[in-house]
Amino acid sequence: MTASAEGAVRESISADGKNMKGASHPPRKFSANGAVRKNGAVKRLANVPVFKHPKTELEAAIQRYVDLFEFAPVPYVSFDRVGRIEEINLAAVQLLGGSRARLIGEPFALHVTKNDGLLFLNHLLRCRSSDRRVETELHLKKRNGDIIIAHLASSRMTSSMRDGTLLYQTAIVDLTERKRAEEAIRQSEERYRTLFNLGPMAVYTIDTSGVIQEYNRQAAELWGREPALGDTDQRFCGSFKMFRPDGSFMPHDQCPMAEVASGKISVVHNGEVLIERPDGSHVTVLVNIRPLKNDRGEVTGAINCFYDITDRKAAETAAMRLAAVVRSSHDAIVAKDLNGTITDWNQSAERIFGYKPKEIIGKSILTLIPKDRQKEETEILRKIRRGQSIDHYETVRRCKDGRLIDVSLTISPVKDPNGGIVGVSKIARDITKQKQTERRLAKQTRLLDLSNDAILVRDAQDRITYWNDGARELYGYSCEEALGKVTHKLLRTVHSRSLTDIRKKLERDNRWSGELVHTCKDGTKVIVISRWSLDRDAKGRPSSILETNTEITDRKREEQRRAVNLAVTRILSESPALAHAIPRILRTVCETLGWEVGDFWTPKSDGRVLRCLVSESRVGKFSKFKSVCRKLELAPGIGLPGRIWSNLKPAWISDLTKDNNFPRAPVAAGEGLHSAFAFPISFGKHFVGVMEFFSPEIRERDEDVLKIFSSIGSQIGQFVQRKRAEAALQKSKELLEQLVRQRTKALRMSNAELKSEIQRRKGLEGEILAVSDREQQRLGQELHDGLCQHLTAVAFMARSVALRLKNHRVIDADDIEKIAQLVNDAATDTRNLSRALHRIDVDAAGLVDALRDLVDREIWRIPCRLEFKPSFHIESDIAAGELYRIAREAVINANKHSQAREIVIRLERVENETVLRVIDDGIGFPSEPKTKRGLGAHIMGYRARLISARLEIDAPKGGGTRVSCYLPDNAVQSKKRKNAKTELFPQKSRKH
C-alpha cells in the first residue's frame, strides 16, 4: 500500500473514531456469564442477556449462542469501525493474554506487530468497504512479547444488543505451528532436492510407460540436455542417442531402462552404455537400474543410477597403450623396489644389456652397475625416497658380456594409490654412439676454437647455432648472446651484393665467398672475407650454412688508402692543371672511402677570404648544401676551412651539430650530414687551399686517415709547385720514375732469385729422390742378377750331386737335398727383397695387398701391422703408388731410428680426405721447429706434394712418432709430375 493510501485509511478510521466518541464506554470487566465487575461488585449488563433459567425457547437459543461464542475453541473478536475491541471470547483472551476487562475497548492494532500495522489498517478498510468476508494473514504480539502468525477472517454483523451497531466479528486462527510444520517440510524437501542434485550419481525415474518423472543435475550434464518432465515424446532415457558397448545403435525402447520397466529383466547392475550428446560428444556410463513398486508390489516405474566412466575407460586404454609402449619402447625400461631388486624388465632392456628377464628379475640392480659407480645407486635411492625424480642422468653401466656402455637414465618414483613410494622406474637409453659423436664433435669444436677466423653455423632461418671463440673475439658477442639470433640483424651486415643473389648462388653452387661489412658489439665496423658452405639434409633440402669470416679491415682500409694515394697520384700525373685534378680527386675519395660530399676551398685573389671552388658528391644529392657552400665566403678561423687556413693542420669533426664554429651546421643537419674532416693543401710556406669531406654517419676521429690526407695535401701541394716550376717538377718526376724503376727492378731481381732458388731446391729434391730410387733399383738389380743367379746355380749343382750320390749310394742324399732346399729358400728371400726394393706394380687396387706384404716381411726388426676398414678404396693409381712409397720410407725410418716396440700402418677416411698414418711407440720425433729434418722426411714430403697431399709429422701425446699423409678427394691425383723427365723405376723388369 502506498503512503497516500495509508494516510487515507488512517484519516477514515480516525474520523469514525471521533464520530463515535459520544457512544464510547469506559473499560469494563465481564465475567463469564456477562456480568460487569465494578469496585468488586457484580452487575449485569443490560445488553448482555444472561438466562440462568430460560423460560422460553428463544431465551434458550440466545443462551446457547452466547455460550457457543464464549466457549468456542476458536478465538473470536468483534471490533468496531475504528478497530476497538467490543467483544472477545475466552479463547481470544487466552491467545492475546491479559484480562477481558483490559482487552475490551482497546484498539486491536495494539496487538499487531509494528511491521504489520499497515496490513491491519488495510484489513479494516476492506471490512468497511465490502460485504464479503475479509481475510488477512499477519503477525500478532502477545502481552508476554511472543509473536504468533495469525489468520484474521472478519465478517460484517449488526449487533442487536447494541442498538444495531455495525461490528466485524473476526475469527483468529493461530498459524504458528502450521507455519513451523510447513517450514520444516520445505526445508526437508530442500535438503532432499539438494542431495538429489548435488550427489555424485546421475539419477532419473520413469513410470511404466517410460515417461521421465524426475532427474537430477548430474543426469542432465551427462545427457547434454534437459528434457521436459512428463514429455511423452521422450521415453525411457533423456539422452540424445545411445549405443551398445560394441558401437551398435541402441533405440530408446530397447535400452536397459525399458526392459526393467516392462519386466523383461528384474535389475541391471553395472551395465555399460555409450551416450551421444546433442553436440556430438560421447560419454560412457555404467547404469544400475531397479524397478519402483507400490505397497501392493506392483511395478510403478524404474529408477536408474548411472555415472560417467569415460575417464576410467580412457585410463584403461591409456594403461593398455602404455603397456604396449613399454613393451615396444626402444629404451630399456626397468622397475625395481626400494631395496634395488629388479621387478620388471622389457625387451629393449634385454637387447641393450643382454640379460633375459628370467636371468635378471629378482636380482639386485647392482648387477648392471660397475663397482666404481655403485655409490650412485645409494644416492639415487635416497632421492627417490624423498619423492624426487632424476632426468637425463648420464652414467656408465655394464652389460652381460662385460662391455661398458654409456647410458642416459630417467628415474621416477612409483607410488601406490595412497601416494606412498613403493618402487622405482628407470628408463635407460644407450647413448654410447652419441657420446662418441659428442667427443668427436667436442674435439672438432676445440679445433675450430683454435682458429683465428670467426666460424659460425646458421640454420635454414639464418639463426646462429654455433659460435666459436674466434667469432667472440672478433665481434665481442658471447656464445650465449649470439646463439638463436639472425646473423645479418645481429651484426647489421652490409652485403657486397643483394642477399637474394647471394642465396641463389649458394643454393646453386653450395658455396659463396665475398666481402661483408659487420658491426661489432661496441659499434665498430669490420670488413671480412666471408666464405659460406651450404649443408643439405638427407632429402637434399638446405639445412645449415657454415660461415667462415676472416677479418681484413686493416688490410682493406690500407688498400683503400693506398688506392686513394695511387688514384690521387694517377690523377695528378694525368692532369695538366689543378683545376682538372680537383674534381676527380674529390669524386675518387668519396667513392673509395665512403664519404658523401667533398669541397675544395681556395683563397680569393685578394687573399682575405676563402671561397668554395668545387663541390662534388658521391650520389648526386645534397644540392642545397653544395649551393650554400658555393655562395659562402669564410675568413681565417671561421668554419672548418677557416680553421685549417689559420693553423695549416688537418681537423676532424665527429658531429657537426655540436660544433660551435660551423656556420653551415643547420643546412648540413637538414641534409643529414654529421661528420667531416679537412686538410690543408700547401707546399713550403705557400698555402694553396683546403679540401673537406662530409659523411651522414657519425665517425670518430681517425688519425691514420688524417695522416694520409695530410700526405695527400702535401702531394697536391707538390703538384701545384711542380706546375708552377716546370723544370723542378720534371726533375722530381724523373727522379720518382727512376726510383720506381729501381724498386721494380729490385723486386723483379728478388723474384727471379727466389724463383730460381725454389726451382733449384725442387730440382734438388727430385734429384735426391731419383738418386734414391736408382740406388734401390741398382741394389735390387744386383741382388737379382748376381746373388740370385749364383744361388740358383749352386742349387742346381747340389741337386745334381745329390742325384749322382744317390745312384752310387756313396753318401746320404737327404743332406744334399736339404742344402738345395736351403739354397732355394735363400734365393726366394733374396728375390722377395729385390722385389721390395724395386716394386713397380703398386696400383689403386693393389695398395692394400702391397702394404700387407710390406708389414709381413721378416726383415723388419720391429713388428709391423696394418689397420684398415674393408670398405676402404682409393681411385688414383699414381696416388696409391706414392702412398705406398711414403709408407715404406716411414717404416724404414722407424726401424732405423725409433727404438719402438710396434709399428702400425693405418688407412682411414677423415671427412673428405684419405689419410695414411704410420705410427710407432718409440722415442718420438723432436717437436722443436728448429730441428733439422733428415732426407727421409724431405723425400716423403716431396712425394706428398706430387699428389697434392699434405704431410704432417708429429709426436702423439702417448709418445712415439706419427707420420700422416692427407690426400684430399678433390686433389688432381692423375696429373703428371712436373719436371719428371724419367720415371723413378724402369717399366721393364724381370719377373721372379
Side-chain angles (χ1 to χ4, degrees):
M1 181 181 293
T2 63
S4 59
E6 180 181 352
V9 172
R10 291 184 181 275
E11 289 177 1
S12 175
I13 294 175
S14 176
D16 289 341
K18 290 179 180 179
N19 295 331
M20 296 177 64
K21 279 185 178 180
S24 63
H25 302 282
R28 302 174 182 176
K29 296 182 181 180
F30 292 88
S31 63
N33 58 3
V36 177
R37 296 180 178 87
K38 188 175 182 180
N39 298 327
V42 178
K43 180 181 179 180
R44 293 190 179 274
L45 295 175
N47 56 354
V48 179
V50 177
F51 304 98
K52 291 184 178 179
H53 303 287
K55 296 179 180 180
T56 64
E57 292 181 0
L58 178 60
E59 291 179 351
I62 293 172
Q63 187 62 46
R64 284 196 302 274
Y65 170 76
V66 170
D67 292 340
L68 180 64
F69 174 81
E70 183 70 17
F71 301 107
V74 176
Y76 279 100
V77 174
S78 296
F79 45 79
D80 56 16
R81 289 174 59 85
V82 296
R84 277 198 301 265
I85 300 173
E86 294 295 335
E87 296 177 353
I88 185 170
N89 69 348
L90 289 176
V93 170
Q94 294 175 358
L95 177 66
L96 298 178
S99 64
R100 184 193 302 268
R102 178 172 294 181
L103 294 174
I104 294 295
E106 279 187 350
F108 189 80
L110 295 177
H111 299 280
V112 179
T113 61
K114 184 177 181 180
N115 293 336
D116 289 351
L118 188 59
L119 288 176
F120 180 67
L121 293 178
N122 187 43
H123 181 83
L124 278 178
L125 184 61
R126 289 163 56 202
C127 289
R128 290 164 56 180
S129 61
S130 175
D131 294 334
R132 295 182 180 183
R133 183 176 178 178
V134 178
E135 298 181 0
T136 301
E137 187 175 303
L138 46 70
H139 291 78
L140 299 180
K141 180 173 64 176
K142 299 172 68 174
R143 190 169 297 276
N144 61 3
D146 293 342
I147 303 298
I148 62 173
I149 302 173
H151 179 81
L152 303 184
S154 301
S155 300
R156 178 183 292 188
M157 61 171 289
T158 301
S159 177
S160 59
M161 300 179 184
R162 296 183 180 272
D163 299 328
T165 302
L166 186 63
L167 298 178
Y168 303 103
Q169 191 175 55
T170 303
I172 304 173
V173 180
D174 187 357
L175 301 179
T176 304
E177 293 301 327
R178 191 179 77 180
K179 289 291 185 180
R180 289 175 180 172
E182 289 176 352
E183 179 64 20
I185 293 172
R186 188 189 65 77
Q187 292 180 357
S188 176
E189 184 177 356
E190 183 66 25
R191 286 194 298 271
Y192 161 74
R193 179 60 57 186
T194 301
L195 291 174
F196 184 68
N197 284 322
L198 297 182
M201 189 80 69
V203 181
Y204 75 98
T205 62
I206 62 172
D207 59 15
T208 54
S209 64
V211 177
I212 298 174
Q213 301 298 313
E214 193 172 12
Y215 61 87
N216 66 353
R217 182 169 56 84
Q218 285 73 17
E221 290 178 356
L222 289 180
W223 291 334
R225 57 193 297 268
E226 296 183 3
L229 296 178
D231 186 358
T232 57
D233 293 333
Q234 182 72 49
R235 295 178 182 271
F236 301 111
C237 184
S239 60
F240 179 63
K241 291 181 181 179
M242 288 185 291
F243 299 89
R244 297 181 179 86
D246 61 1
S248 60
F249 177 71
M250 179 190 297
H252 280 57
D253 57 0
Q254 296 179 14
C255 70
M257 195 70 162
E259 294 182 346
V260 171
S262 64
K264 291 182 179 180
I265 56 177
S266 58
V267 294
V268 176
H269 180 66
N270 288 340
E272 187 173 319
V273 176
L274 181 63
I275 294 176
E276 181 178 329
R277 294 168 170 159
D279 61 3
S281 61
H282 294 80
V283 291
T284 304
V285 298
L286 280 186
V287 299
N288 292 272
I289 304 172
R290 292 184 179 276
L292 296 176
K293 299 181 180 180
N294 57 19
D295 296 339
R296 298 186 297 275
E298 298 171 345
V299 175
T300 60
I303 183 170
N304 187 351
C305 299
F306 60 103
Y307 56 94
D308 186 4
I309 62 167
T310 306
D311 293 340
R312 190 178 80 184
K313 294 288 288 185
E316 292 174 354
T317 303
M320 295 174 62
R321 189 183 301 112
L322 180 60
V325 169
V326 169
R327 287 193 300 271
S328 60
S329 173
H330 187 70
D331 296 331
I333 301 178
V334 180
K336 63 182 181 180
D337 58 22
L338 293 179
N339 295 322
T341 302
I342 297 172
T343 58
D344 289 284
W345 185 266
N346 75 338
Q347 294 177 356
S348 293
E350 177 181 350
R351 175 179 54 79
I352 293 174
F353 295 105
Y355 290 97
K356 294 183 178 180
K358 63 181 180 181
E359 296 175 331
I360 195 66
I361 291 178
K363 292 186 179 180
S364 173
I365 195 68
L366 297 178
T367 307
L368 307 176
I369 303 177
K371 290 184 178 180
D372 59 341
R373 291 180 176 266
Q374 293 189 354
K375 291 183 179 180
E376 294 177 0
E377 183 64 15
T378 304
E379 180 64 19
I380 289 172
L381 290 176
R382 185 177 64 82
K383 291 183 177 181
I384 291 298
R385 289 189 178 98
R386 292 204 305 261
Q388 298 179 2
S389 297
I390 302 173
D391 293 331
H392 306 301
Y393 177 69
E394 295 185 358
T395 183
V396 176
R397 290 295 180 260
R398 185 185 301 279
C399 298
K400 181 179 179 180
D401 58 6
R403 289 182 301 110
L404 297 178
I405 60 173
D406 293 302
V407 295
S408 175
L409 301 179
T410 299
I411 308 170
S412 304
V414 178
K415 298 181 180 180
D416 59 17
N418 297 323
I421 298 173
V422 296
V424 183
S425 171
K426 281 188 178 182
I427 299 176
R429 175 169 294 178
D430 186 356
I431 59 171
T432 305
K433 293 182 179 180
Q434 175 184 337
K435 296 298 285 186
Q436 291 173 351
T437 303
E438 288 178 358
R439 286 190 284 269
R440 185 172 67 254
L441 291 177
K443 180 180 179 181
Q444 293 174 355
T445 301
R446 287 194 298 271
L447 293 176
L448 291 177
D449 284 337
L450 295 176
S451 173
N452 293 326
D453 293 337
I455 301 175
L456 54 104
V457 178
R458 317 189 318 250
D459 62 13
Q461 287 74 39
D462 280 338
R463 292 189 297 265
I464 298 172
T465 59
Y466 174 74
W467 186 264
N468 79 332
D469 288 346
R472 176 181 56 80
E473 293 175 0
L474 176 59
Y475 299 116
Y477 292 101
S478 65
C479 186
E480 292 76 12
E481 294 173 320
L483 291 181
K485 302 295 191 306
V486 177
T487 51
H488 57 268
K489 291 183 179 179
L490 176 70
L491 303 178
R492 288 168 277 177
T493 307
V494 178
H495 299 89
S496 57
R497 52 192 296 189
S498 69
L499 186 58
T500 303
D501 293 341
I502 292 175
R503 291 188 182 280
K504 287 181 180 178
K505 186 177 187 307
L506 181 65
E507 292 183 2
R508 184 180 65 249
D509 303 337
N510 292 330
R511 293 181 181 278
W512 176 84
S513 62
E515 291 185 6
L516 302 175
V517 179
H518 287 155
T519 302
C520 300
K521 184 178 181 180
D522 59 4
T524 59
K525 295 183 182 295
V526 293
I527 304 172
V528 298
I529 287 290
S530 187
R531 297 173 293 278
W532 298 4
S533 298
L534 179 64
D535 185 33
R536 299 180 182 271
D537 59 17
K539 296 183 179 179
R541 297 174 298 191
S543 60
S544 60
I545 300 172
L546 173 66
E547 180 177 336
T548 305
N549 297 327
T550 304
E551 184 186 8
I552 59 170
T553 306
D554 295 338
R555 188 183 79 188
K556 195 68 178 177
R557 289 177 180 173
E558 185 62 29
E559 289 177 356
Q560 292 174 346
R561 294 163 185 170
R562 190 181 301 114
V564 170
N565 262 324
L566 293 175
V568 170
T569 302
R570 186 182 68 254
I571 292 170
L572 293 176
S573 65
E574 295 173 353
S575 301
L578 184 62
H580 296 83
I582 288 299
R584 295 178 61 190
I585 292 173
L586 293 176
R587 288 195 297 270
T588 299
V589 171
C590 289
E591 293 172 357
T592 305
L593 297 183
W595 294 83
E596 298 297 336
V597 180
D599 297 334
F600 176 67
W601 297 75
T602 185
K604 292 184 69 175
S605 57
D606 58 5
R608 294 180 180 180
V609 294
L610 291 173
R611 66 184 179 90
C612 181
L613 186 64
V614 182
S615 182
E616 295 286 342
S617 60
R618 185 160 66 104
V619 292
K621 296 181 180 179
F622 312 104
S623 57
K624 186 175 180 180
F625 179 76
K626 292 190 292 183
S627 176
V628 170
C629 292
R630 291 191 185 99
K631 296 177 182 179
L632 190 64
E633 294 182 351
L634 298 174
I638 303 302
L640 183 59
R643 277 182 276 178
I644 303 301
W645 190 13
S646 296
N647 55 30
L648 296 179
K649 293 181 180 179
W652 190 293
I653 301 176
S654 299
D655 191 348
L656 298 174
T657 60
K658 298 180 180 179
D659 193 273
N660 297 325
N661 186 11
F662 194 80
R664 295 167 290 168
V667 181
E671 295 278 85
L673 299 174
H674 290 282
S675 296
F677 78 93
F679 59 94
I681 299 175
S682 62
F683 62 92
K685 295 182 180 181
H686 185 78
F687 176 75
V688 177
V690 176
M691 196 172 286
E692 64 179 357
F693 295 93
F694 298 89
S695 171
E697 300 175 359
I698 296 179
R699 299 191 182 187
E700 298 300 327
R701 183 183 181 92
D702 191 332
E703 295 293 343
D704 292 337
V705 171
L706 293 179
K707 289 179 181 180
I708 289 174
F709 281 96
S710 295
S711 175
I712 291 175
S714 299
Q715 190 175 349
I716 298 174
Q718 290 175 6
F719 173 80
V720 175
Q721 186 179 21
R722 285 196 303 271
K723 289 299 179 181
R724 290 183 179 181
E726 189 66 32
L729 178 61
Q730 185 65 29
K731 185 177 179 179
S732 299
K733 182 179 179 181
E734 291 175 358
L735 179 60
L736 179 61
E737 290 177 352
Q738 183 180 0
L739 291 175
V740 171
R741 286 195 298 271
Q742 290 176 356
R743 181 69 173 172
T744 304
K745 182 178 179 181
L747 290 174
R748 288 176 178 173
M749 291 178 63
S750 299
N751 288 338
E753 292 176 358
L754 181 60
K755 289 182 179 179
S756 177
E757 180 64 19
I758 291 173
Q759 293 296 331
R760 187 184 67 81
R761 292 191 179 184
K762 286 185 177 180
L764 181 59
E765 290 180 356
E767 185 177 350
I768 291 172
L769 186 59
V771 169
S772 174
D773 290 340
R774 286 198 298 271
E775 186 64 20
Q776 291 184 9
Q777 179 181 350
R778 184 183 61 81
L779 290 174
Q781 194 70 33
E782 289 180 357
L783 286 172
H784 180 273
D785 295 343
L787 179 60
C788 292
Q789 297 296 333
H790 177 70
L791 291 175
T792 302
V794 171
F796 277 121
M797 292 175 65
R799 184 174 295 275
S800 177
V801 171
L803 291 174
R804 290 197 299 271
L805 291 177
K806 181 178 180 182
N807 294 331
H808 294 84
R809 300 185 181 276
V810 177
I811 192 170
D812 189 358
D814 292 337
D815 293 337
I816 301 302
E817 188 67 31
K818 290 179 180 179
I819 293 172
Q821 183 63 39
L822 291 173
V823 172
N824 282 332
D825 292 342
T828 301
D829 292 340
T830 305
R831 196 173 289 113
N832 292 336
L833 178 60
S834 172
R835 188 159 51 245
L837 290 172
H838 180 206
R839 189 175 188 98
I840 63 173
D841 54 348
V842 177
D843 55 10
L847 176 60
V848 174
D849 293 334
L851 291 176
R852 188 183 288 114
D853 178 68
L854 179 64
V855 301
D856 290 339
R857 294 177 191 168
E858 297 179 358
I859 62 173
W860 307 123
R861 294 179 298 170
I862 301 173
C864 299
R865 61 185 173 89
L866 174 65
E867 294 181 358
F868 66 97
K869 291 185 177 181
S871 61
F872 175 82
H873 72 281
I874 188 170
E875 299 289 342
S876 174
D877 294 340
I878 296 176
E882 297 302 336
L883 289 176
Y884 172 81
R885 291 174 176 83
I886 292 171
R888 184 185 65 190
E889 187 67 32
V891 171
I892 292 172
N893 288 339
N895 272 274
K896 288 181 179 179
H897 310 293
S898 68
Q899 302 178 17
R901 295 185 300 275
E902 185 184 42
I903 301 171
V904 178
I905 300 177
R906 184 179 299 156
L907 288 173
E908 57 186 0
R909 295 280 302 169
V910 177
E911 296 183 350
N912 296 326
E913 295 180 319
T914 298
V915 182
L916 167 70
R917 301 187 194 275
V918 180
I919 307 169
D920 65 69
D921 57 355
I923 59 177
F925 189 83
S927 59
E928 293 77 14
K930 295 183 179 180
T931 303
K932 186 176 181 181
R933 299 189 176 183
L935 182 60
H938 284 285
I939 292 174
M940 289 188 288
Y942 177 74
R943 290 190 183 279
R945 290 192 295 273
L946 286 177
I947 56 175
S948 301
R950 183 176 80 259
L951 185 75
E952 293 181 0
I953 303 176
D954 60 350
K957 292 183 179 180
T961 302
R962 178 171 55 201
V963 178
S964 302
C965 182
Y966 298 85
L967 178 65
D969 288 347
N970 57 358
V972 183
Q973 300 175 357
S974 61
K975 67 180 181 180
K976 295 183 179 180
R977 303 168 187 167
K978 295 181 180 180
N979 301 324
K981 297 181 179 179
T982 59
E983 295 181 349
L984 294 179
F985 297 105
Q987 293 299 319
K988 295 182 179 180
S989 176
R990 295 182 182 179
K991 295 184 179 180
H992 306 290

